[in-house]
Amino acid sequence: MTNLDVFSKENGQNLSLEGEFCLDTTKIDGLKVELTSQGLILSRTSIQKNGKSNQQVIPMSWIIGCHCTRKNGFDEKSSCGCRSSSTKTKNELNGENSAYLVIYAYIPKQGRKLEIWQERRMISLRFKKHNKFEENIKEADVWRRQLRFLINNYTQNVEYPIRAPDDSRSYLVLLNPKSGQSKAKEMFHKFLAPTLVEAEISYDLCITKKANFARNFVRIKDMHQWKAVIICGGDGLFYEVINGIFERPDWKDIVNTLPFGIVPCGSGNGIARSLVHLAEKPEQIDTRPAVSSSVALTNGSIRQMDLVRVETPNETLYSALSVGFGFIADVDINSESIRRLGHIRFTLWSLMNLVTLPSYRAKVSYLPIDQSKIVSQTKSKSDTTKKSSPTFSNKSRGARQDSFYSVSSQKSAYYSIAESSYQSTSEVGSDYDDPSNVNMYGPLSNLPSFSSALPKDWITQEGDFVMIHSTIQSHLSIDCFFAPESKLNDGIIWLMIIKNTISRKELTSFLLDMTYGTHIPKHDNPHVKFVQCTAFRFEPLSKLKTGIMNVDGETVEFGPIQGEIVPGILKVITPSTRY
Ligand code: ADP
Ligand code: MG
């Protein structure tokens, strides 16, 4: 047991329910169980140290749910099994009349090397006072209802907890079976589904059949029937889904009310990593991110996240992670061919790219953060430079050249799985084919059109570059801590510009340092520039006709691209602070 597990009971806590049980394991020790608004207090009554009873408090923030059952939920390895204390009868030995309350808690743990994880613990309380099972289960159910009430009302001082009482709507889980190493279904069954069942959160599962399936699904469905949308996939599926939302005329209503969550099942998982990062110290490493993400979906908080509104000459889209070309973009897309290797594909391809080290002639422009503040103040006085709300026709939508696009997918449907009692009725999915023409809606744009020159307050640099890459997240992937200072809702685009004058040696150590976020130059560096901006324009220059323009790990048309920050527009589910 770590010191995280043991707390002393605070005075004046709101006592809700109290009972005496005895541990199944020893059958001697008495256990007093108190259920308060702060959590579950377990005190051994018979073992005394210095006149004080041993006490363990499981804070309410760690408890995600409970169930009443006839079967003992006690699991020797992971639980604290308890039963109400009284004389044993034959029925008790058989366990026939007993009812059990099984409580599910996820206990934060930290190892010596700063690695952190959440350990699942089942606390099984046995109710056997009455001779009839019906009476015992009634008593267990009083505890269950009280605990549920306390869980739902436990706000943990966060403004918007995901546990809102009186909202019985289901979660919509969108799952890409081809994400990462094609293990998303397995991960869903192993991590997310059990956690949702434990938390008594119902869900509808929609398994995508092909690229853009999820995008078309969220574009046409009544999204108000769901309480939240959960992405079981990678950054590409998240990108698909938010773009589908902005293809709806009622996008504003949706983004104002519907939160989005993610369980990392992809290759890079930059968005998921960045969301979990909020609850950690920078140096900590989450050894089981799928567990922490799943738990966060049941007890986390809802926060606002920035997006980037991106324009190419033919398309408008929204990015939740990064926009760039050059080294990282090339590695990301070109390593698709070895995606079965999982995350290591990025390291292997980086090594290959370091050998060839292509450079790109381009013009990069950006609106630096400080000046943009002045600009936005003057703009609000006379807003005439603003373009009217654009409704772009995304003609090139079907032409996204994702190399993964052609992979034939397994049979999939929008359905509920029989073994869970918390899923709603099934509906067989249609193919959600790409429409011939869709409109892109969204907030007003401040960007100048491609044909007009950039305002004077923009900074432009022309030259040969190894990489031009921007992000709004802290992490580009699980172990790429690209913009350490980035916050979810800081209104900042973090832009990295690396000139081709950089040596291979310097670039190699730069890339290695990115794992720890120590790559940012502390002083002026002739080769590397890391700037904070609110808008950018990248223009590959004429000689360069082909290349990879990467938005959130997906390929978009190669050519000029520009983007601007849309502060705090999306609601996302993040872990609440753990420590
Ligand atoms: P990864 O992080 O491994 O790239 P993503 O979830 O980001 O995983 O998905 C990669 C690509 O797969 C995205 O372009 C997405 O549009 C596409 N996709 C989604 N569903 C399917 C499917 N059923 N079959 C093939 N591709 C799909
Ligand atoms: Mg940010």
Side-chain angles (χ1 to χ4, degrees), residues 305-306 471-474 485-494 565:
M305 188 178 90
D306 299 342
T471 185
I472 48 168
Q473 302 292 0
S474 57
E485 301 287 313
S486 173
K487 303 281 180 304
L488 268 194
N489 187 12
D490 55 10
I492 299 173
I493 301 172
W494 304 76
I565 194 88

Side-chain angles (χ1 to χ4, degrees), residues 176-180 208-212 233-237 240 266-269 336 339 345 400 402 404 407 409 554:
N176 175 3
K178 302 288 178 180
S179 282
T208 65
K209 285 186 176 182
K210 55 187 176 185
N212 281 332
D235 300 319
L237 193 65
E240 258 196 35
S267 310
N269 301 313
E336 281 280 342
R339 73 160 37 236
R345 73 174 158 115
R400 276 171 58 218
D402 184 356
F404 204 55
V407 177
S409 63
E554 305 294 307

Side-chain angles (χ1 to χ4, degrees), residues 457-470:
D457 41 15
W458 284 59
I459 293 172
T460 297
Q461 187 178 351
E462 195 177 318
D464 294 298
F465 302 98
V466 164
M467 169 177 116
I468 296 168
H469 213 93
S470 72

Side-chain angles (χ1 to χ4, degrees), residues 8 434 477 542 551:
S8 61
D434 277 339
S477 71
S542 53
V551 178

Side-chain angles (χ1 to χ4, degrees), residues 107-111 115-119 286-288 579:
I107 318 288
K109 298 277 174 181
Q110 183 166 342
E115 70 277 21
I116 53 166
W117 68 97
Q118 279 171 301
E119 193 176 274
D286 191 342
T287 52
R288 302 178 73 199
Y579 301 105

